[in-house]
Amino acid sequence: FIIGAIEAYRTWKESKELHDTGDDNERDDEESDAIVRQTSYDQAFEQARQEIESHISNLGPYDFQNLVSELLIAMGYHVRHVAPPGPDGGIDIVVFTDPIGAKAPRIIVQVKHRQSKAAAKEVRELDSLLRKEGDVGLFVSSGGFTTDAEREVRSASRHIDTMDLDRLITLWEKNYDKLRENGKALLPLVKLHFLAPTEE
């Protein structure tokens, strides 16, 4: 995408330079440069995001669960439990805000890694697991949430937060430098710097 846009622009610019001169042409060139820069930026961002999403979608359910756990650790939480393969009773991860779990809240995390959206019934099931005073829930769904599920989150008896794939990736990028090495291995990223598009 990016190479095609740049090559097309270069061909157009060379042709234009053969026929045009003057101040108007300089302004046209500046505007064209800005357009190409914006297009390249948009295409680079979109391509990178698609590659990241594809990589995550190819992770197995337990690798995805570990990905969520590593993200929470990087965000400063203390993970006390990550469910091993097999029946987990609906609790995939248990997280605290302090190292020994003495302070509320206890965060009960439900993780669903699939293309389909999480349904209202699953939100109610998470809500039923929040039994201790101060418990909060976090529902992570790579497939997103149905409208009914989002409504159920808002009406739940305890606080429940949600994390879809877009939010997970944004938080992963934001906290990448704080990730442990085994976390980075699950979703390795590299920073790429290039000229920012012109702001209007």
Side-chain angles (χ1 to χ4, degrees):
F1 295 126
I2 300 168
I3 294 173
I6 293 172
E7 288 300 323
Y9 166 70
R10 285 179 179 159
T11 302
W12 171 85
K13 187 174 182 180
E14 288 170 3
S15 172
K16 187 168 178 58
E17 286 173 351
L18 291 174
H19 300 95
D20 297 334
T21 58
D23 293 340
D24 288 342
N25 296 330
E26 288 181 11
R27 280 195 295 273
D28 288 344
D29 286 348
E30 289 175 3
E31 291 175 4
S32 299
D33 285 341
I35 291 170
V36 169
R37 196 185 315 158
Q38 181 68 54
T39 301
S40 297
Y41 174 84
D42 292 342
Q43 290 177 339
F45 180 85
E46 183 64 27
Q47 184 175 353
R49 181 53 68 101
Q50 287 176 358
E51 289 178 359
I52 292 170
E53 290 179 0
S54 176
H55 178 85
I56 293 174
S57 70
N58 289 327
L59 291 175
Y62 291 102
D63 279 340
F64 183 74
Q65 181 176 275
N66 289 333
L67 185 83
V68 173
S69 174
E70 290 295 331
L71 173 59
L72 293 170
I73 291 169
M75 292 172 66
Y77 293 100
H78 301 271
V79 174
R80 291 288 301 276
H81 171 77
V82 178
D88 56 27
I91 299 177
D92 295 315
I93 304 171
V94 178
V95 182
F96 290 95
T97 56
D98 68 296
I100 61 172
K103 297 179 182 177
R106 179 181 71 156
I107 304 168
I108 305 298
V109 187
Q110 177 65 267
V111 180
K112 297 294 183 186
H113 185 42
R114 61 191 184 204
Q115 292 185 350
S116 60
K117 295 182 176 182
K121 177 178 179 289
E122 293 170 306
V123 174
R124 287 193 293 272
E125 289 171 354
L126 175 58
D127 191 18
S128 71
L129 296 172
L130 308 179
R131 300 185 184 119
K132 290 186 178 181
E133 185 65 32
D135 276 0
V136 300
L138 173 62
F139 202 132
V140 182
S141 171
S142 59
F145 300 86
T146 65
T147 303
D148 287 344
E150 291 172 349
R151 188 180 301 114
E152 194 68 33
V153 165
R154 292 191 295 271
S155 63
S157 63
R158 301 288 182 97
H159 175 74
I160 296 177
D161 200 0
T162 59
M163 187 185 298
D164 59 11
L165 187 58
D166 185 64
R167 187 179 183 197
L168 185 147
I169 293 171
T170 299
L171 289 170
W172 190 266
E173 292 170 337
K174 181 178 179 181
N175 294 279
Y176 192 76
D177 291 338
K178 301 173 189 173
L179 287 162
R180 304 186 304 184
E181 289 307 312
N182 52 338
K184 290 179 179 179
L186 288 167
L187 179 57
L189 302 181
V190 63
K191 290 181 180 179
L192 176 63
H193 297 279
F194 52 93
L195 195 60
T198 304
E199 294 184 4
E200 304 202 2

